[in-house]
Amino acid sequence: MTHTEPIRLAAADSRRPLVIAGPCSAETEEQTLATARQLADEGVRIFRAGLWKPRTKPGGFEGVGSAGIAWLERVKRETGMYVATEIATPHHAEAVLESGIDLLWLGARTTANPFAVQEIADALSGRDIPVLVKNPVSPDLELWIGAVERLRNAGIRRIGVIHRGFTSIDRSRYRNHPMWGIPIELRRRFPELEIFCDPSHIGGARELVAPLAQQAMDLGFDGLFVESHCRPDEAWSDKAQQITPQALARIVRQLVIRETATTTDNLNGLRAEIDKLDDRLLELLAERMRVACEIGRCKKEHGMPVLQTRRYEQLLSRRTEQAAELGMDREFMRSVLRASRCAASTKNRSQPLFFRTPHDKSVFIRIFAPAKVSCTVPPRTWNQKGTQCESATIPVAVSSGARRASEVLQSATGPAAGKAQNEEQVRRPADAVTQGFAACGSTGENRNDVGGFLSARAGPAERPVESRPTLPFFVAPCSPGTRSIFYTY
């Protein structure tokens, strides 16, 4: 992303954090002005207030609409503050452009709708007004970036983003999960893009505003986007997450702003230690995944449900408590365990399971149970030169575990089979594998899976062979009544 510029409002302090604050909603003219005056007294230079409020369900307070524009204009005249509001439609954009509004933002629901963003971008086209884009409600980085790009393509250059957390069905201490990795990745890709943190919407509770604000500063965010009300407990919307202007001032004064330019030479040793720990962590996670997959396969072979709720809940409870005793966040540990379970479940649904050697010369396979089966491979033309593979029956007797395909062939058909598994052997076309499946009576589901894999990995190009290749197929059971063919090249 190029040609984006900082928000740059002349009278605003250029030091971190740039604070934008005000009530969730402009409820009355008196409440709007009272809040603005108190914020101005605390040194806040940019006042925010929602005029149009999209509510999850009908019947709630949906804002005062265009009538509130005059209130914001009065705030600007009487306090000297810049004023900002949210827009969600081209009509909103036209209304604020005719007034003296200094800054706009797009809400999370709007960002999630590319059609709405494009309509707003068209309405703002060519206007020199700063626009902030909140992240979409779902954790979709590309959708967030797409909204910014639509505004940039409309000629808007002063663009920033607001991280307000993401909706999730999981129980959490937060109203919206912060998922800090997403804004961090956004910063990595577009370092010139200013990022503001909205601790009010992430936390959903006023006692979480301070720690979330500090965490945002520690991550290098440029500013804060905070909901502040002169009488928070009387607010018409989101009262639990709003704080007084005086509380906001205390939070800002207590923030520790760490200079990014500070030398990091003394951190090299700690970073090397982190790298070693990461290596060990990955190895442990991989080993845990392997065991989890084995458990899943065992359950499948014996007709057991993959997810056993009581056992899973006991595991979550025990491990999260253990994590807390070690000073770790419970929700973090729950998310790690959930991700591991989901990954293992996804892996177990892929049948058959195979993976490549480091040199990409053969396919490793996993035999799901001890078996003794045979496969008749019909004659088949492998390449344009007419080299053929003769028909034969291969007995296969193997034990559980992962083995190289060529080793299985060698144990089944003698040393000659292993010798032929070299890089000169031709890449088998996917339709040959399909025919081999048909000969074994394999299910169509597995046939398509492996055939598609071969077609995608091997490609249409075929290399000539110097001599007739030995039989490339063998059979392994995946589940009762199901066989799968694997190959090497």
Side-chain angles (χ1 to χ4, degrees), residues 50-219:
L51 304 181
W52 298 276
K53 301 299 298 181
R55 313 308 297 176
T56 301
K57 295 181 179 179
F61 175 61
E62 297 184 341
V64 297
S66 300
I69 293 177
W71 304 349
L72 295 183
E73 290 176 333
R74 184 177 172 188
V75 167
K76 186 174 181 178
R77 288 195 308 270
E78 295 186 9
T79 66
M81 301 174 77
Y82 294 103
V83 292
T85 196
E86 176 183 352
I87 59 172
T89 69
H91 170 71
H92 298 166
E94 293 168 3
V96 298
L97 288 173
E98 293 173 359
S99 65
I101 304 298
D102 300 292
L103 185 148
L104 308 174
W105 80 84
L106 305 187
R109 292 177 174 88
T110 304
T111 305
N113 185 343
F115 294 111
V117 175
Q118 188 60 58
E119 289 177 353
I120 293 172
D122 293 340
L124 297 176
S125 179
R127 300 299 187 102
D128 182 23
I129 185 168
V131 181
L132 299 176
V133 181
K134 284 196 173 186
N135 62 258
V137 292
S138 59
D140 190 336
L141 177 58
E142 299 305 323
L143 191 60
W144 197 3
I145 294 172
V148 174
E149 290 179 339
R150 291 177 187 276
L151 293 169
R152 184 203 61 188
N153 292 343
I156 300 169
R157 292 292 173 260
R158 290 190 286 166
I159 304 175
V161 297
I162 302 171
H163 172 230
R164 48 82 73 192
F166 302 90
T167 300
S168 173
I169 62 173
D170 293 333
R171 290 176 296 176
S172 169
R173 65 185 299 200
Y174 302 114
R175 177 181 177 184
N176 294 291
H177 282 261
M179 298 186 187
W180 297 105
I182 295 178
I184 289 172
E185 174 62 14
L186 182 65
R187 169 57 56 86
R188 187 190 69 81
R189 293 199 206 178
F190 311 109
E192 76 284 356
L193 199 60
E194 287 185 318
I195 302 180
F196 291 76
C197 176
D198 181 349
S200 304
H201 274 90
I202 293 176
R206 58 181 66 120
E207 63 269 18
L208 295 178
V209 171
L212 287 167
Q214 182 61 64
Q215 190 164 359
M217 292 300 100
D218 292 344
L219 292 173

Side-chain angles (χ1 to χ4, degrees), residues 451-468:
F453 172 82
L454 294 181
S455 178
R457 291 297 184 94
E462 298 176 359
R463 290 182 288 179
V465 292
E466 296 178 359
S467 60
R468 178 175 300 175

Side-chain angles (χ1 to χ4, degrees), residues 6 29 112 150 170 192 240 261 294 316 339 342 367 379 383 449 452 478 489:
E29 186 171 12
R150 291 177 187 276
D170 293 333
E192 76 284 356
E294 291 292 344
L316 282 181
C342 291
I367 307 301
N383 57 34
D449 287 347
C478 288
Y489 67 88

